[in-house]
Amino acid sequence: MVSGGRKPDTWWLPRGVVALRVRIFEKVNGDRVVTLPNAAYGPEVFERVYAHPAADGRSAGAGLSDLFWYWLSPGPEVHQEHLEPGPRYEDVAAATRRMLAGGSADLAAAAGRAVAGVLDTLPGDRISSVRLRDLVMPAWAEFAYELVFREPCPPHARKLITDHAADVINALKCTGLRHPRRRARLTAYLRERLAAGDVPHRLPASLTPEEQVFHLQGTFFNTAVVQLSEATAHVLLALARHPEAQARLADDPDDDRYLTHVLDETMRLYPLFGIAHRITTDDVPLDERTTLPAGSVVCFSYPDYHATGYDRPDAFDPDRWDSLSARDAHHIPFGVAANRPCPAWRLSPLVLRAAVREVLSRFRLDSTVSHTRSIPHRAPCLLVPRTLNPGARLAPLRTFLRVRDGVEDVTRGVRQLVLGTVMVLHARRQRPAARYFERFPPGRCPVVHSPGDSS
């Protein structure tokens, strides 16, 4: 996956293999692409171009769109991140905001209950070795289900959602190929529930019933579940690797200010998005001499932007936020208000704090694995029950995690190169975004007939 990070995902892998993988993804967009910030255009240009009204194209005209639509199928044409600006997007975005709305206490309580449910499955008398992303993904599947259906999540539905979300993120990270049948099982389930009238929300009227199914699947049971799982894994892994920060939170679980600083610093170092690509719909000036013509692809590198303007930018230091404001710092974990920010910008920090508190109330975290933005290893970690004195048992387990992580880096890096290349070529043959926009150019949405319309 295009990571935009400052460090290679695989520190054991020969540099030539890593460079080849990066080059393959860079070539997807062709030659009319600029990545910001760069050596010539710094964070100020990044901010100005990101907020420019003409940097609003989402999918039409970018080679990278075919690849992302391929990864996000089914229904990428109505995925909120990839809808072109206009009335249809506004209709979909309004529906998403309605479904995410709720009282802070209720949302935090729901997140805490869901995480507690998965933690209840772990033994309380011995150390557990887990992959943090795998551990928490069923909890966020349950949380998302309750947002959509306003009822407790049955085990069968939780498994369908988890299998789908894991399949999407594994494909995005090129650690596995897509499994369309696995995804189709969730589609069929949602289609049946929607037809039965089980969704107690007003869904976008501009979408057909099938597109409404894809909207639910893509926005809530793909993006929401994946991003909350990744964010939780990042925060917990950062705490596992920085015991002083973990101890401070465990000693004072009600210190909401410091926990917020931990979240801010984690999202600064490990933003959930590596690269966000936009297509210019009009000319956009970079400086007095250079203008990006309409139709240019601009790739915004979150990790590179988040590394500017800080002392020791590669260090994990939550205390830096004592004297920093997230509003003034180079810090946009949820995008910017002027260019379609994440609809969960309010909800995510709220429920993440609840999830972290629930984990720390039960376990001490320990990990010796690498921590990169893309965490393709799914964040291996040891969970030590707080009532347990691990004694000499902890040291060999820490060594095992470190050695296994190094070995897996090599094999995983090669697998990502091979599978990534296969999926790039497959997406280029299928051309899902290009073919869609050949049928429906930007500004021309498919016609939605009202019930009973015979035309």
Side-chain angles (χ1 to χ4, degrees), residues 305-326:
Y305 175 70
H306 282 185
T308 62
Y310 299 93
D311 294 330
R312 301 179 303 115
D314 292 331
F316 179 80
D317 181 14
D319 287 328
R320 76 170 78 241
W321 294 95
D322 284 335
S323 57
L324 284 174
S325 165

Side-chain angles (χ1 to χ4, degrees), residues 96-124:
T96 300
R97 289 193 297 269
R98 289 193 299 269
M99 297 172 74
L100 293 175
S104 297
D106 290 340
L107 291 170
R113 285 196 306 272
V115 173
V118 299
L119 297 181
D120 286 342
T121 65
L122 299 176

Side-chain angles (χ1 to χ4, degrees), residues 221-399:
F221 301 131
N222 170 1
T223 299
V225 174
V226 164
Q227 300 292 22
L228 285 171
S229 300
E230 292 268 293
T232 309
H234 274 302
V235 176
L236 295 179
L237 185 59
L239 292 172
R241 287 168 44 88
H242 296 86
E244 68 290 345
Q246 180 183 169
R248 183 170 168 181
L249 286 176
D251 291 343
D252 189 0
D254 295 325
D255 188 350
D256 196 62
R257 178 182 174 84
Y258 186 68
L259 179 51
T260 298
H261 289 350
V262 168
L263 295 183
D264 285 341
E265 182 68 351
T266 303
M267 294 299 100
R268 183 193 70 81
L269 265 177
Y270 311 107
L272 298 180
F273 291 99
I275 291 285
H277 78 284
R278 303 287 182 265
I279 304 94
T280 59
T281 53
D282 201 347
D283 293 351
V284 176
L286 290 178
D287 57 25
E288 295 81 1
R289 300 177 303 278
T290 307
T291 297
L292 290 175
S296 298
V297 178
V298 187
C299 290
F300 297 99
S301 173
Y302 281 59
D304 290 331
Y305 175 70
H306 282 185
T308 62
Y310 299 93
D311 294 330
R312 301 179 303 115
D314 292 331
F316 179 80
D317 181 14
D319 287 328
R320 76 170 78 241
W321 294 95
D322 284 335
S323 57
L324 284 174
S325 165
R327 177 175 298 179
D328 299 327
H330 295 167
H331 187 250
I332 52 169
F334 302 106
V336 298
N339 194 336
R340 217 187 276 190
C342 173
W345 65 269
R346 168 185 167 270
L347 176 144
S348 293
L350 180 73
V351 299
L352 284 172
R353 286 195 293 267
V356 171
R357 285 196 174 101
E358 186 64 37
V359 174
L360 292 183
S361 71
R362 301 179 182 221
F363 296 99
R364 180 165 67 84
L365 313 174
D366 198 308
S367 186
T368 53
V369 303
S370 58
H371 192 173
T372 63
R373 189 209 64 80
S374 60
I375 52 169
H377 53 26
R378 313 190 311 283
C381 187
L382 301 174
L383 300 186
V384 184
R386 293 209 168 269
T387 56
L388 177 70
N389 180 5
R393 289 172 288 181
L394 190 59
L397 291 174
R398 299 180 82 247
T399 300

Side-chain angles (χ1 to χ4, degrees), residues 69-268:
W69 281 40
Y70 172 87
W71 277 329
L72 294 173
S73 65
E77 67 276 7
V78 295
H79 193 288
Q80 190 164 323
E81 170 64 15
H82 293 273
L83 276 172
E84 299 301 313
R88 203 176 201 218
Y89 164 75
E90 297 298 336
D91 186 28
V92 170
T96 300
R97 289 193 297 269
R98 289 193 299 269
M99 297 172 74
L100 293 175
S104 297
D106 290 340
L107 291 170
R113 285 196 306 272
V115 173
V118 299
L119 297 181
D120 286 342
T121 65
L122 299 176
D125 58 352
R126 63 179 185 272
I127 300 170
S128 296
S129 178
V130 302
R131 308 267 179 166
L132 290 169
R133 196 192 83 193
D134 297 348
L135 175 69
V136 300
M137 188 172 280
W140 293 122
E142 182 174 317
F143 177 79
Y145 177 97
E146 292 185 8
L147 283 177
V148 170
F149 291 105
R150 301 298 190 203
E151 66 182 24
C153 180
H156 175 63
R158 187 174 73 170
K159 185 176 188 309
L160 286 175
I161 297 165
T162 302
D163 287 349
H164 167 72
D167 191 64
V168 171
I169 193 60
N170 289 337
L172 281 164
K173 294 181 188 298
C174 301
T175 56
L177 295 173
R178 300 180 314 152
H179 296 82
R181 291 182 181 177
R182 184 177 302 166
R183 302 184 187 193
R185 286 194 284 271
L186 177 59
T187 307
Y189 173 81
L190 294 174
R191 186 184 295 121
E192 180 180 338
R193 295 296 303 276
L194 187 63
D198 293 338
V199 180
H201 297 280
R202 179 161 51 91
L203 296 177
S206 61
L207 303 184
T208 66
E210 186 73 355
E211 289 172 332
Q212 291 174 350
V213 168
F214 292 145
H215 166 60
L216 295 177
Q217 184 162 351
T219 300
F220 291 91
F221 301 131
N222 170 1
T223 299
V225 174
V226 164
Q227 300 292 22
L228 285 171
S229 300
E230 292 268 293
T232 309
H234 274 302
V235 176
L236 295 179
L237 185 59
L239 292 172
R241 287 168 44 88
H242 296 86
E244 68 290 345
Q246 180 183 169
R248 183 170 168 181
L249 286 176
D251 291 343
D252 189 0
D254 295 325
D255 188 350
D256 196 62
R257 178 182 174 84
Y258 186 68
L259 179 51
T260 298
H261 289 350
V262 168
L263 295 183
D264 285 341
E265 182 68 351
T266 303
M267 294 299 100
R268 183 193 70 81

